[in-house]
Amino acid sequence: MQACTLIARAKINLYLEILGSRPDGYSEVAMVLQSVHLADRLQLKCRPHGIHLTCDCPEVPTDARNLAYRAAELLQKECHSSAGVEIHIEKHIPVAAGLAGGSADAAAVLVGLNQLWGLGLTVGELQSLAARLGSDIPFCVQGGTQLATGRGEVLEPLADWEGIPVLLAKPKHLGVSTAWAYQAFRSRRESLGANAPSEPALPTLPQALAALSRQDPPALARSLRNDLEQVVLPEYAIVGELRQALLSAGALGSLMSGSGPTVFGIMPSLELATQARDTLRRQFQNVEFWVTQFAPTGILLQPDPCSLSPT
Ligand code: ATP
């Protein structure tokens, strides 16, 4: 195979609990991550040497700051490969939105180059390399529905739950830095110490896992939790407004995804999701909306038919 196309899907966090700080500077977390159909599209083409990356979105860097570029560089180094690649990214996942767009692109490059360069790495080996690039990337390699612990890299697949309708809402021209959100959460917890106000009873991980195993949308809606809302909502009022607006528009439950600012609503049907999107678009002109659904995998690889070697 000389070339391939990859579909690299976004994720939402159905549950994000911060358990504490780790000596390596990361936070210890318990998360339930869910792939959705909203996806970037990547084209990979073999070249004799070097990594060349282009992207249709001007705000995304095309050099070694790009996670997809770094994924190719890491594979070259770890597999002692001198092979090169041309990568083109067609962005559909909004940037710095809490939807792991960059992580999905990096995971797609790991999966794609494993095939194109004939590296023969197992999924576990790809996930270990992915963990060196970023905490959400190991999840993106397989995607679906997974429980992630540690700093997000210890994964346990949960039963697939396909097709649940989701409405995503992202304020235009607003990005939230993941590093800032975790740091702000840590500072808040340290400064409040023993004086921390008791939070209203938050859902627990066993509640979320029970809702998932019963595949019960209203129970899932009741068990949604994201601790980072405690620092992002006071800073960005629009995030809280969108959560309320999604509920008023018929969502069973709504939550900020990752470090935001994207908010998602679990919708009772695709029809209601589409109606809610159209109503909310008129109400919030500076917000983008997408109707999507839970997806069973993170990356889809489609070989370029012209590049398959004759058998
Ligand atoms: P996460 O949910 O994993 O925290 P995110 O969705 O909040 O991630 P990304 O869209 O991955 O955020 O982008 C975060 C930053 O990473 C951006 O500011 C961007 O400059 C940089 N970046 C690096 N590679 C990419 C990429 N392939 N696509 C988008 N952004 C990228």
Side-chain angles (χ1 to χ4, degrees), residues 67-151:
L67 280 170
Y69 187 107
R70 289 225 290 277
E73 218 174 32
L74 181 67
L75 273 185
Q76 267 184 340
K77 192 164 140 253
E78 287 304 308
C79 301
H80 310 288
S81 171
S82 58
V85 65
E86 235 166 77
I87 303 170
H88 179 69
I89 307 177
E90 207 180 288
K91 248 1 239 177
H92 298 279
I93 306 173
V95 176
L99 297 172
S103 299
D105 295 347
V109 166
L110 292 176
V111 170
L113 287 184
N114 191 32
Q115 291 294 320
L116 288 190
W117 291 349
L119 302 174
L121 298 172
T122 62
V123 168
E125 286 167 334
L126 289 175
Q127 287 175 327
S128 304
L129 288 173
R132 289 164 55 182
L133 294 165
S135 299
D136 282 340
I137 308 177
F139 164 77
C140 293
V141 169
Q142 279 212 298
T145 314
Q146 299 202 43
L147 171 64
T149 51
R151 61 179 174 91

Side-chain angles (χ1 to χ4, degrees), residues 184-236:
F185 183 89
R186 207 169 302 146
S187 307
R188 179 175 184 269
R189 205 172 245 185
E190 280 164 12
S191 70
L192 290 174
N195 303 322
S198 52
E199 299 290 345
L202 290 169
T204 63
L205 184 61
Q207 280 170 345
L209 295 179
L212 286 161
S213 75
R214 292 204 309 272
Q215 306 219 324
D216 177 347
L220 175 68
R222 285 193 300 276
S223 66
L224 297 173
R225 168 173 173 172
N226 183 345
D227 287 356
L228 291 174
E229 286 189 340
Q230 293 168 30
V231 290
V232 178
L233 262 61
E235 198 72 24
Y236 302 100

Side-chain angles (χ1 to χ4, degrees), residues 11 13 40 42 53 55 57 59-61 63-70 89 91 93-106 135-137 140 176-179 182 257-262:
K11 64 87 187 140
N13 298 76
D40 289 344
L42 285 86
L53 188 145
C55 180
C57 173
E59 66 185 293
V60 171
D63 53 18
R65 285 169 299 164
N66 193 301
L67 280 170
Y69 187 107
R70 289 225 290 277
I89 307 177
K91 248 1 239 177
I93 306 173
V95 176
L99 297 172
S103 299
D105 295 347
S135 299
D136 282 340
I137 308 177
C140 293
V176 174
S177 148
T178 306
Y182 276 96
S257 182
S259 52
T262 303

